[in-house]
Each structure stands twice: as C-alpha cells, then as structure tokens.
C-alpha cells in the first residue's frame, strides 16, 4: 500500500498531470468566457440559449468546425476532471493533504467529468434536455418524496455556502495561494489578481443566488424555482434594473474566464 501511494504521488508530480492541469484550466476559462457572453446576450434580449455550461457547449457546437471544437473541449474538461481527481487522492499544490481542499477537488472532478460527458454527447448527437430542465425534473421528483423538501433545502443551503465561500475567496484573495505569483511581472500580477477578485466574487454571487432559488423551491414546493446557473441569471434579468445588473455579472464572469486563462499559465499544479 505504501509503495502504491508513493507511486501515485510520483505520477501526480509527472508531466502528464501537469499538462492535464494546464489544458483543463484553459478549457474552464474558455467555457466561462462563453457563459459570460451568453449572460450578456440575455441581458440585451439577444438569445434564448441557456447561460450555463451546457449552453456554452451548445453555442460552440453551433459554429463552423463545432465537432472539432467539441472534441477539444471535451478532452480539456476531462483533463481538468482528471487533474482534480489526482488532487483529491494525493493533495493539492496550495494546501497539501488537508481534507477540505481534497474534498473540494473531488467535487470539481465529478462536476467537470459530467460536463465532459455533455460535450461528447453533443459530438455524438446524443444530447438531451438542458441542465436546468434536468435539475427542475430532479427537484420535482425530490419534492414529491416525503423527505424531499428537506433534502432540496439542504442542497440549497450547501450551494449558498459554496457561493459565499467563493465570494470570500475572491475578496480575501485566497486564490493567490494557487498561483506562482513570483514569476509574474508586477503589472501582470496586479491585473491577474484584479481579475481573480472580480471573477471569483461574481461567480460566487451567481452560485449563492442559485442555491437560494433551490432553497426557495423547497420552502414553497415549487420545483420550477430551482433552475441552476441559467435560472439564477434569468432571475436577475427579470428584476428591476435587472439587465444592467446582469451585464455587470456577465462582466464578472468574463473576468473569471480571463483569470482562468491566466491560471492555466501560472497555477501551481504539482502536489506538495
């Protein structure tokens, strides 16, 4: 077992995992740039496409060379999932073998593995209903269960907590620990940090709103109120001054996408 653990840690420090990390982070950055563009388009009333990961994948699929793009995207998402899975097993570069960051990496690995599957389904023409429709269906089934409302409410609370953690992570600049900032010129370092603050804060706000909508669905027994990332953004659009607020959120998500591209270049990817 000791030999196996040592071999696993050596593999996690190898070039394959490092390459997967850089490719995966770049892919995540591109995905959020497209989501930001979709959110801005919703604010301006120019699209009915879902402003979430599946909507971004569908948007890329609709352009010339979409199949090739989706293969690259799917591989990049799978690479990101693989890298995060190695972190869950052997520890992260920024936090070592602490349990919290490893659990977080496991959740990220599972989430992005699902996104990779969606990308490959688009390539194969086997994609079905959207994420938010699936979430509404799942929420409806859970709410009909005797303990379902409690479970949906608990999920909402967890997602709100994750969103608030992301906001705190951005405002307190904790993400800087994940970057090789000593390698960046001062002006570049300052720009990357600003993008990280704005991007993580905006993404956290959207997650917190999505969690609140799930909690509201549980309290009112209306599963249609729980609609994931796209639903959270459209909820903003339907509020007073909503389009302006949604444009601001879209700008924040665009900043996160740019931060993701910077992280693909300067992130710490090898475990301690």
């Amino acid at each position: 077992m000791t030999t196996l653990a040592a071999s696993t840690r050596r593999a996690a420090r190898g070039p394959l995992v490092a390459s997967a990390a850089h490719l995966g982070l770049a892919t995540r950055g591109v995905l959020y740039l497209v989501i930001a563009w979709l959110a801005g388009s919703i604010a301006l009333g120019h699209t009915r496409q879902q402003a979430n990961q599946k909507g971004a994948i569908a948007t890329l699929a609709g352009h010339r060379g979409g199949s090739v793009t989706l293969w690259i995207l799917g591989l990049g998402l799978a690479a990101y999932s693989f890298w995060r899975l190695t972190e869950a097993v052997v520890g992260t570069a920024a936090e070592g073998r602490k349990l919290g960051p490893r659990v977080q990496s496991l959740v990220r690995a599972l989430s992005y593995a699902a996104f990779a599957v969606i990308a490959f389904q688009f390539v194969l023409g086997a994609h079905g209903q959207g994420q938010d429709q699936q979430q509404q269906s799942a929420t409806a089934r859970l709410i009909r269960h005797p303990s379902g409302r409690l479970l949906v409410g608990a999920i909402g609370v967890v997602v709100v907590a994750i969103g608030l953690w992301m906001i705190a992570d951005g405002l307190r600049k904790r993400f800087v620990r994940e970057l090789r900032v000593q390698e960046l010129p001062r002006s570049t370092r300052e720009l990357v940090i600003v993008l990280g603050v704005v991007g993580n804060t905006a993404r956290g706000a959207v997650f917190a709103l999505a969690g609140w909508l799930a909690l509201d669905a549980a309290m009112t027994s209306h599963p249609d109120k729980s609609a994931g990332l796209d639903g959270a953004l459209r909820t903003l659009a339907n509020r007073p001054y909503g389009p302006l607020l949604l444009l601001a959120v879209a700008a924040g998500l665009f900043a996160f996408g740019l931060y993701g591209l910077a992280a693909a270049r300067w992130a710490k990817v090898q475990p301690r």
Side-chain angles (χ1 to χ4, degrees):
M1 183 64 69
T2 302
T3 302
L4 178 60
S7 299
T8 302
R9 290 188 64 81
R10 281 196 299 271
R13 294 192 179 98
L16 176 61
V17 172
S19 297
H22 293 304
L23 175 60
L25 285 166
T27 303
R28 186 188 67 167
V30 170
L31 205 61
Y32 268 92
L33 290 177
V34 179
I35 292 172
W37 179 80
L38 290 172
S41 297
I42 289 173
L44 299 174
H46 291 166
T47 185
R48 296 177 62 85
Q49 183 64 267
Q50 292 180 349
N52 55 22
Q53 287 83 357
K54 186 167 185 177
I57 293 169
T59 298
L60 293 173
H63 287 77
R64 178 178 295 182
S67 294
V68 175
T69 301
L70 288 181
W71 275 113
I72 296 172
L73 186 72
L75 290 173
L77 294 171
Y80 184 89
S81 176
F82 171 67
W83 169 51
R84 291 301 190 183
L85 184 60
T86 64
E87 286 192 328
V89 174
V90 303
T92 69
E95 302 287 349
R97 293 183 59 80
K98 292 180 180 178
L99 180 60
R102 291 172 66 190
V103 171
Q104 185 182 51
S105 290
L106 178 60
V107 173
R108 288 171 170 172
L110 295 175
S111 298
Y112 278 83
F115 298 148
V117 170
I118 291 172
F120 291 132
Q121 285 177 335
F122 267 93
V123 174
L124 300 174
H127 55 282
Q129 63 181 158
Q131 280 178 277
D132 295 316
Q133 292 174 311
Q134 292 173 350
Q135 179 169 331
Q136 288 181 8
S137 299
T139 303
R141 288 194 297 270
L142 280 174
I143 286 179
R144 287 195 295 267
H145 192 273
S147 302
R149 289 178 63 184
L150 182 61
L151 180 57
V152 172
I155 292 172
V157 170
V158 170
V159 176
V160 169
I162 291 172
L164 295 177
W165 181 89
M166 289 178 179
I167 293 173
D169 187 59
L171 295 178
R172 297 177 64 181
K173 303 178 184 179
R174 289 197 295 242
F175 60 87
V176 173
R177 294 176 296 182
E178 302 174 359
L179 302 173
R180 305 192 309 274
V181 291
Q182 70 280 1
E183 298 180 12
L184 280 70
R186 180 176 178 179
S187 58
T188 304
R189 180 171 64 249
E190 291 174 351
L191 175 59
V192 170
I193 290 174
V194 168
L195 291 173
V197 170
V198 174
N200 279 286
T201 302
R203 190 170 69 129
V206 174
F207 267 74
L209 179 56
W212 168 252
L213 291 176
L215 184 58
D216 190 29
M219 292 187 295
T220 61
S221 295
H222 290 156
D224 57 307
K225 292 185 176 182
S226 178
L229 178 60
D230 178 71
L233 294 173
R234 292 183 187 276
T235 296
L236 285 178
N238 293 328
R239 293 294 186 267
Y241 303 103
L244 289 177
L245 184 58
L246 184 52
L247 283 174
V249 171
L253 295 176
F254 191 82
F256 184 79
L258 293 178
Y259 167 76
L261 296 180
R265 172 65 179 84
W266 289 294
K268 297 175 182 176
V269 299
Q270 305 289 16
R272 295 177 180 179

